[in-house]
C-alpha cells in the first residue's frame, strides 16, 4: 500500500486525478470504478479540465459506479446517476452507453444485484477503483458489520449514513433508506484501488482502516489485503497517521 501526502483538498484532488489519468492514458479502454460524495468532486473537476485542454480522452473508457439509492430514478437530482451526469459524464467525451450504475428503479433486489455483478464480469472487471471512505469506515454502502464476501447487494442504510447524506436532500425523511452497492468482494477484485480522503473528520478512521485490525466492523480495513492500493489523503485526514506512522507516508514534508 502506498500512502501519498497532499497539503490540502485541491492538491489531494490533483494527485488522485493524475493517477486516474495515467490509467486512462496507459489503457484507453479502462474500466474505471467510480464513487460519488464530496471527496471525488475535485478529482472530477480536474479530469474535466484536462479533457477540455485535450490531454485526456474518455471515448473508449467504461465506468461502473459503486452504488445507487433504491427508489430514485436517474432523472432525480438526488440520484447518484444524476450526480455522475452533472459532475463528470456530461462534461467529458464518454459514451453514455459505457457508463453504468446500479438501477435504483429496479425493485427486484436479487435481479438487479445479479445484473450488476454479471455486467462487471462481462466488462472484464474493474481496472482502477476510486473510493471514498465514510466516517465509520464504510466503503460504497458497505456499513460496519457487512460480510467481506459480498458482491453487489442491497443494504438498509445505518442511521449515521442517513444523517450524513441528509445534506443532499430537502429533508431527512426524503433520504432513501436502502441502496444497492458493490460489495467488498467485488471492490477487492479491482486490479488497482485508489482511496481519496480529505478532512480532519476522517483522520481517526483512516488510521484505524490502514493500520488497525482487519475486521468487518471497519469495512475499509480489508484494503490492507489488496495488492495494489494507493491512498491519497490531505494533511488533515493524515493527522493521526502523520503522528503514529510518519515513515509510512510518501511526500511527508517532515521526512
Ligand atoms: C459514494 C460512496 C461512499 C462515499 C463515502 C464518503 O459512492 O461510495 O462510500 O465514498 O460516504 O463520502 P464523502 O466523500 O462525501 O465524505
Amino acid at each position: 500500500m502506498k500512502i501519498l501526502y497532499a497539503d490540502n483538498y485541491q492538491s489531494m484532488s490533483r494527485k488522485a486525478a493524475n493517477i486516474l489519468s495515467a490509467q486512462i492514458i496507459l489503457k484507453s479502454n479502462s474500466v474505471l470504478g467510480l464513487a460519488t460524495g464530496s471527496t471525488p468532486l475535485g478529482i472530477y473537476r480536474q479530469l474535466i479540465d484536462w479533457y477540455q485542454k485535450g490531454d485526456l480522452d474518455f471515448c473508449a473508457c467504461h465506468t461502473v459506479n459503486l452504488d445507487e439509492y433504491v427508489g430514485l430514478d436517474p432523472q432525480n437530482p438526488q440520484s447518484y446517476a444524476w450526480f455522475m451526469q452533472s459532475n463528470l459524464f456530461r462534461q467529458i467525451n464518454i459514451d453514455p452507453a459505457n457508463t453504468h450504475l446500479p438501477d435504483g428503479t429496479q425493485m427486484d433486489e436479487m435481479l438487479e444485484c445479479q445484473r450488476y455483478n454479471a455486467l462487471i464480469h462481462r466488462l472484464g472487471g474493474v481496472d482502477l477503483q476510486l473510493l471514498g471512505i465514510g466516517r465509520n469506515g464504510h466503503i460504497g454502502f458497505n456499513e460496519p458489520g457487512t460480510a467481506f464476501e459480498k458482491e453487489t447487494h442491497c443494504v438498509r442504510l445505518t442511521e449515521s449514513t442517513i444523517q450524513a447524506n441528509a445534506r443532499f436532500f430537502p429533508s431527512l425523511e426524503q433520504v432513501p433508506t436502502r441502496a444497492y452497492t458493490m460489495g467488498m468482494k467485488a471492490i477487492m477484485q479491482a486490479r488497482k484501488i485508489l482511496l481519496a480522503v480529505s478532512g480532519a473528520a476522517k483522520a481517526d478512521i483512516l488510521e484505524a482502516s490502514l493500520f488497525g485490525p482487519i475486521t468487518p466492523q471497519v469495512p475499509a480495513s480489508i484494503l490492507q489485503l489488496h495488492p495494489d492500493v494507493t491512498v491519497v489523503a490531505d494533511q488533515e485526514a493524515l493527522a493521526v497517521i502523520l503522528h503514529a506512522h510518519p515513515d509510512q507516508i510518501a511526500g511527508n514534508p517532515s521526512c
Side-chain angles (χ1 to χ4, degrees):
M1 177 177 304
K2 293 181 201 77
I3 306 175
L4 306 186
Y5 172 94
D7 280 328
N8 50 36
Y9 177 76
Q10 205 186 344
S11 149
M12 180 282 288
S13 302
R14 203 176 162 86
K15 284 191 183 186
N18 260 306
I19 293 168
L20 273 156
S21 108
Q23 173 69 38
I24 298 162
I25 290 166
L26 290 170
K27 185 180 178 199
S28 59
N29 62 346
S30 287
V31 178
L32 304 174
L34 298 180
T36 59
S38 311
T39 310
L41 282 172
I43 301 173
Y44 296 155
R45 275 196 294 270
Q46 184 64 76
L47 292 176
I48 292 164
D49 183 48
W50 285 334
Y51 161 70
Q52 287 171 345
K53 289 182 171 138
D55 291 335
L56 271 181
D57 183 355
F58 293 86
C59 75
C61 287
H62 289 257
T63 64
V64 286
N65 261 78
L66 281 171
D67 40 20
E68 179 61 285
Y69 290 115
V70 176
L72 300 191
D73 73 65
Q75 301 313 317
N76 185 316
Q78 264 78 39
S79 71
Y80 286 173
W82 182 275
F83 175 102
M84 290 308 301
Q85 289 295 340
S86 324
N87 292 298
L88 185 64
F89 298 154
R90 258 189 237 130
Q91 301 175 66
I92 57 175
N93 67 332
I94 195 158
D95 181 346
N98 290 353
T99 65
H100 307 282
L101 289 96
D103 178 359
T105 65
Q106 175 55 268
M107 301 314 273
D108 185 330
E109 295 175 11
M110 213 195 312
L111 208 65
E112 180 51 17
C113 295
Q114 281 171 357
R115 181 195 73 84
Y116 207 62
N117 287 332
L119 169 85
I120 296 169
H121 289 295
R122 207 166 54 243
L123 290 172
V126 173
D127 289 304
L128 176 59
Q129 176 68 56
L130 172 64
L131 299 175
I133 183 173
R135 290 179 195 193
N136 61 4
H138 73 233
I139 293 282
F141 273 120
N142 295 284
E143 301 285 3
T146 311
F148 284 146
E149 296 80 29
K150 292 204 177 194
E151 292 193 286
T152 307
H153 58 286
C154 185
V155 293
R156 190 156 288 284
L157 305 185
T158 62
E159 204 45 49
S160 77
T161 298
I162 292 173
Q163 297 280 351
N165 290 350
R167 67 192 192 275
F168 301 114
F169 290 82
S171 72
L172 187 63
E173 292 66 44
Q174 291 177 51
V175 185
T177 54
R178 286 184 305 146
Y180 291 122
T181 182
M182 277 167 67
M184 292 312 297
K185 180 177 172 188
I187 291 165
M188 287 294 283
Q189 283 168 348
R191 288 174 197 95
K192 292 179 190 165
I193 289 180
L194 172 60
L195 173 62
V197 197
S198 171
K202 305 277 178 74
D204 285 321
I205 198 64
L206 186 59
E207 197 274 340
S209 301
L210 304 189
F211 295 97
I214 299 170
T215 161
Q217 292 314 317
V218 181
S221 63
I222 198 176
L223 298 179
Q224 293 178 41
L225 299 179
H226 192 282
D228 194 343
V229 176
T230 304
V231 180
V232 186
D234 64 16
Q235 186 178 14
E236 287 186 348
L238 285 171
V240 179
I241 299 177
L242 277 164
H243 185 70
H245 319 275
D247 50 331
Q248 300 295 312
I249 302 173
N252 178 358
S254 62
C255 286

